[in-house]
Amino acid sequence: GMSEEEWCPIYKWGQRGGTVYVTIFVPCLNEEAVKLNISPLEVDFSAARVATFAGGKTAERKYRLKLNLREEVDESRCAYYLRHDHVRLELAKRKAAPWRSLQAAHVPKNPNERPDFDHMGDDDDDDDDAPAQTMKTYAQRGGATQQQQRSSFFSDFGLDGLLRAMPTVEAWEMLPVAACMLFLCLCPFNKVEESFNLQATHDLLYHGRDLASYDHHDFPGVVPRTFLGAIALAVTSAPLALFFQLFGAPKMATLLVVRATL
């Protein structure tokens, strides 16, 4: 019998440099049974095959995979390879920055998605499929051929490399930082174990080269302590601490800045 149900195929993905590789596993494929549409933020793949079983029975199985891509791709430079048991897509990124996931952040991970360990890292060597199968670009299938020209503040000033190097931060990754800031505001004061290091940081920020005013002369403590950690903390927190000092903010503001930096 013929089934109208659509199956989601198993697929894997990886990336190298400016290319995302998606391999979709569907057995017994022929080109006439494959439909592929690629847009800057979407891939729509469908295929059908007829399986023959013992006794001459046949069954048609339809496959469909729709991907909402994490970032834009240039469909005019995308390509695909058709093999007997899979289709491999090569999606050309518009921006060469690494993708944290194949699909957009709001899309749940597909249970049939697998990592492609053959396409990880920055090695741009050709895959084994290349010599065995003639590559076809998506444009040869009637896809879009016009490449959009985009400009930005970074590209206008030649800072594209800086933009690509900037990490992408997800909203959920800011939750631990927000929790730390909340606890810091609720409990801004330090424990006794922190007091020596924070006092040293205070002296560096407020007394500078006036070493005679440093607190450890009057309260040296029993155990000798290093200033290296306090120096690093003072250097990293100094810009914001000095900003608050210029506006006459109380030392409590500096304490919050130093503890937040730590």
Side-chain angles (χ1 to χ4, degrees):
M2 306 295 285
S3 173
E4 296 298 329
E5 182 182 1
E6 288 184 337
W7 295 66
C8 178
I10 293 176
Y11 65 96
K12 64 180 182 179
W13 83 282
Q15 57 186 320
R16 283 181 184 170
T19 304
V20 172
Y21 299 88
V22 181
T23 304
I24 307 171
F25 297 96
V26 178
C28 304
L29 273 177
N30 59 78
E31 187 171 4
E32 290 73 20
V34 175
K35 294 181 180 179
L36 178 63
N37 293 305
I38 301 176
S39 62
L41 285 171
E42 187 175 280
V43 171
D44 193 353
F45 167 86
S46 60
R49 73 181 183 95
V50 177
T52 303
F53 301 97
K57 294 182 179 181
T58 61
E60 183 183 41
R61 179 169 290 182
K62 296 181 179 179
Y63 297 88
R64 178 80 180 277
L65 178 62
K66 190 172 183 179
L67 302 172
N68 295 309
L69 300 176
R70 181 181 183 89
E71 303 287 349
E72 288 192 0
V73 298
D74 183 357
E75 60 270 37
S76 66
R77 295 189 294 117
C78 294
Y80 74 96
Y81 295 94
L82 178 65
R83 300 296 297 269
H84 175 68
D85 59 349
H86 70 266
V87 174
R88 195 190 74 191
L89 313 179
E90 294 186 0
L91 307 177
K93 302 177 184 177
R94 286 194 185 275
K95 297 179 181 178
W99 290 11
R100 289 172 174 250
S101 60
L102 176 61
Q103 299 202 69
H106 68 276
V107 179
K109 183 178 178 181
N110 192 310
N112 286 353
E113 180 180 305
R114 307 287 188 270
D116 186 353
F117 296 105
D118 293 327
H119 295 98
M120 289 188 175
D122 297 326
D123 187 5
D124 291 327
D125 293 340
D126 292 337
D127 189 76
D128 293 339
D129 280 347
Q133 186 76 13
T134 302
M135 181 180 70
K136 298 184 179 181
T137 63
Y138 176 66
Q140 291 175 328
R141 291 183 60 106
T145 58
Q146 183 179 5
Q147 184 176 3
Q148 298 178 354
Q149 300 296 325
R150 301 190 175 192
S151 62
S152 65
F153 173 84
F154 287 91
S155 60
D156 290 342
F157 290 90
L159 299 176
D160 291 29
L162 175 62
L163 180 62
R164 289 194 296 269
M166 294 173 62
T168 303
V169 180
E170 300 290 348
W172 65 267
E173 292 177 307
M174 295 303 297
L175 290 177
V177 178
C180 290
M181 295 301 103
L182 176 61
F183 293 145
L184 179 60
C185 293
L186 293 176
C187 184
F189 302 104
N190 58 279
K191 298 169 59 178
V192 65
E193 290 83 3
E194 301 175 79
S195 61
F196 300 100
N197 196 54
L198 283 178
Q199 182 64 49
T201 306
H202 165 276
D203 293 344
L204 288 165
L205 291 173
Y206 283 91
H207 299 312
R209 291 180 292 180
D210 184 11
L211 302 182
S213 299
Y214 278 36
D215 182 80
H216 72 277
H217 291 299
D218 295 328
F219 303 98
V222 179
V223 180
R225 291 176 174 86
T226 177
F227 256 72
L228 293 180
I231 292 173
L233 188 55
V235 169
T236 52
S237 59
L240 196 54
L242 293 175
F243 174 80
F244 282 119
Q245 291 179 36
L246 288 176
F247 289 92
K251 288 186 177 182
M252 176 61 71
T254 304
L255 174 64
L256 292 174
V257 168
V258 171
R259 296 199 68 202
T261 304
L262 181 60

